[in-house]
Amino acid sequence: MTDSSPASSLIVGGAASSPRAPLPTLPPLALYIHIPWCVRKCPYCDFNSHTASPELPEQEYVDALLADLDQDLHAVYGRELSSIFFGGGTPSLFSAEALGRLLEGVEQRIPFAHDIEITLEANPGTFEQEKFVAYRKLGINRLSIGIQSFQQEKLKALGRIHNGDEAVRAADMARQAGFDNFNLDLMHGLPDQSLDDALSDLRQAIELKPTHISWYQLTLEPNTVFWNQPPVLPEDDTLWDIQEAGQALLAEHGYAQYEVSAYAQPGRPARHNLNYWSFGDFIGIGAGAHGKLSHPDGRIVRTWKTRLPKDYLNPAKNFQAGEKALTNDEMPFEFLMNALRLTAGVESRLYPERTGMPLESLEEQRREAEQSGLLQVEPSRLAATERGQLFLNDLLQSFLS
């Protein structure tokens, strides 16, 4: 499972030989912390999440997370953390005491940027809301609240355990707890959902005045209940109408789309996600967490951790399940599958800075994508056209070696 050999010296598509240059500067560094337990597994969820027992192993898991981080410190190279993201599962099932000990341990190992963004995923249930004040006191300064819908029949179909009233209260309580920056997670294209249903959910979310809204279409993923027992989803024409009308509504209320499914008020995009989409570095700790780390010599290595919580907590097993050094042939796709999700794309100079590869190595594929109308003809930027955003998979295929 492990491939840590030096990157190939061939540039994309077997073009002329060109060694990858050492990176002029290392990219920003973030930390992703995976807490894999939730109250109940939702039928659409394909994340590494597991139904929690009555007593969570908080102490043991925090110890394991810090030991896991210790093994990744060799790749930090004196950098500071620009952001931390607690994902899951439902990280807000953990007590403030446990998360506080974890954050303290992280900061002892890696310095925090003075303006670090620390995000915690939370559910709208009353149990989690009662902890919001304590989380804010720890230095957590951003919440991402998993609403999905405000309508009871839709929440029931999705297997969610909160109701619409709790969802509304969660946003209010987040603000009262001192969170002036929070995201609401909302789905569309739900079972039997009409255009009016979808816009009603969106209007309710906007009324709560979050700084950020993640609004994305329900998809049926393998290894989920919905994949094996698919619900009746809206027709394609309805899905298209929802997408168009929803984007217009969000724009009307000052939420700018900056990524395929992310909308933010001015100055409020998720810094952690922006780092991810612009090919920044991130350490991933926790059961099943993934990471991506750049090294001064030009190596870029993706890592993944042991997936099952019982194995992750087993001292006889390694935290890291595998790693892979990216080859030159893989670099264009790896970089662009993230960068082209951003509606504005990225500056072209970022490609050589973050990959060590010459921008000229993209020239042939770039020209073809521009001629097909999927990539903007803009020398200083790598950005999809509106059509390219709609057919992003087709655009990315252009850059596969």
Side-chain angles (χ1 to χ4, degrees):
M1 294 179 68
T2 300
D3 175 11
S4 57
S5 58
S8 162
S9 64
L10 297 179
I11 61 177
V12 177
S17 177
S18 175
R20 187 186 305 167
L23 300 184
T25 58
L26 292 174
L29 180 67
L31 173 65
Y32 174 77
I33 302 172
H34 192 74
I35 297 179
W37 293 283
C38 52
V39 174
R40 184 171 67 196
K41 181 86 169 178
C42 296
Y44 58 84
C45 179
D46 68 335
F47 296 151
N48 183 31
S49 60
H50 306 266
T51 302
S53 59
E55 291 293 326
L56 287 174
E58 286 189 342
Q59 176 83 18
E60 296 89 340
Y61 197 70
V62 169
D63 289 343
L65 288 168
L66 292 174
D68 186 359
L69 180 59
D70 283 336
Q71 295 187 5
D72 285 336
L73 291 181
H74 69 280
V76 170
Y77 299 108
R79 286 180 284 178
E80 62 183 19
L81 286 177
S82 61
S83 66
I84 298 173
F85 194 100
F86 289 92
T90 307
S92 54
L93 290 180
F94 267 36
S95 67
E97 291 78 14
L99 296 186
R101 187 166 72 87
L102 176 56
L103 283 172
E104 183 180 351
V106 171
E107 191 169 15
Q108 289 171 351
R109 290 160 171 81
I110 311 176
F112 289 4
H114 75 277
D115 60 347
I116 189 170
E117 175 193 271
I118 305 178
T119 301
L120 177 80
E121 288 186 339
N123 275 342
T126 303
F127 177 69
E128 282 95 343
Q129 291 174 35
E130 292 172 351
K131 302 177 183 176
F132 285 179
V133 172
Y135 291 147
R136 186 66 189 91
K137 288 179 179 177
L138 297 177
I140 295 169
N141 52 21
R142 185 174 182 273
L143 288 181
S144 182
I145 305 172
I147 302 292
Q148 314 315 350
S149 176
F150 294 93
Q151 298 166 37
Q152 192 56 40
E153 69 276 10
K154 299 297 186 287
L155 290 169
K156 183 178 179 181
L158 292 173
R160 303 295 288 172
I161 60 174
H162 67 271
N163 59 44
D165 289 341
E166 286 178 317
V168 171
R169 285 200 302 271
D172 290 338
M173 290 187 71
R175 192 174 286 106
Q176 291 169 16
F179 288 96
D180 62 355
N181 189 14
F182 65 93
N183 169 66
L184 296 183
D185 229 32
L186 205 63
M187 284 184 174
H188 61 87
L190 306 180
D192 299 316
Q193 188 179 49
S194 66
L195 173 60
D196 287 343
D197 289 337
L199 294 183
S200 174
D201 269 348
L202 205 46
R203 287 191 186 97
Q204 177 67 81
I206 291 168
E207 188 176 321
L208 296 172
K209 295 181 170 55
T211 49
H212 190 286
I213 295 176
S214 296
W215 188 61
Y216 52 95
Q217 184 179 320
L218 171 66
T219 56
L220 305 185
E221 302 290 349
N223 303 314
T224 65
V225 172
F226 274 3
W227 180 265
N228 295 315
Q229 303 170 33
V232 178
L233 300 181
E235 299 289 339
D236 287 346
D237 287 348
T238 301
L239 292 173
W240 181 253
D241 291 343
I242 289 172
Q243 186 74 34
E244 281 198 318
Q247 287 180 328
L249 183 64
L250 285 160
E252 178 188 338
H253 287 85
Y255 290 91
Q257 183 183 18
Y258 68 96
E259 189 266 344
V260 170
S261 59
Y263 303 78
Q265 292 180 341
R268 293 296 198 169
R271 196 182 312 164
H272 185 87
N273 290 342
L274 278 177
N275 182 58
Y276 183 82
W277 291 319
S278 58
F279 215 55
D281 278 357
F282 55 99
I283 298 171
I285 60 173
H290 286 241
K292 175 248 170 187
L293 291 167
S294 304
H295 298 263
D297 61 6
R299 286 180 304 121
I300 298 174
V301 180
R302 291 204 179 275
T303 62
W304 54 97
K305 302 298 172 67
T306 297
R307 182 177 176 84
L308 292 178
K310 67 178 180 64
D311 292 335
Y312 184 82
L313 289 169
N314 184 347
K317 293 183 178 291
N318 293 326
F319 293 121
Q320 184 161 301
E323 67 174 39
K324 184 184 187 306
L326 299 181
T327 67
N328 287 20
D329 282 351
E330 294 167 327
M331 203 63 70
F333 183 84
E334 288 282 335
F335 179 89
L336 292 168
M337 73 173 177
N338 294 302
L340 294 180
R341 288 182 63 93
L342 294 168
T343 54
V346 296
E347 293 184 44
S348 298
R349 63 171 178 78
L350 206 63
Y351 183 72
E353 286 179 11
R354 296 280 164 93
T355 68
M357 299 277 289
L359 188 61
E360 293 74 24
S361 65
L362 295 178
E363 187 172 348
E364 183 179 344
Q365 294 94 330
R366 189 176 183 179
R367 185 168 55 250
E368 291 175 359
E370 290 171 349
Q371 290 172 350
S372 67
L374 299 177
L375 194 71
Q376 291 183 22
V377 182
E378 176 55 67
S380 66
R381 296 199 71 80
L382 290 163
T385 60
E386 285 189 22
R387 183 167 178 266
Q389 287 280 331
L390 293 173
F391 299 98
L392 193 55
N393 286 340
D394 292 338
L395 173 54
L396 292 173
Q397 289 294 321
S398 308
F399 294 94
L400 280 174
S401 59

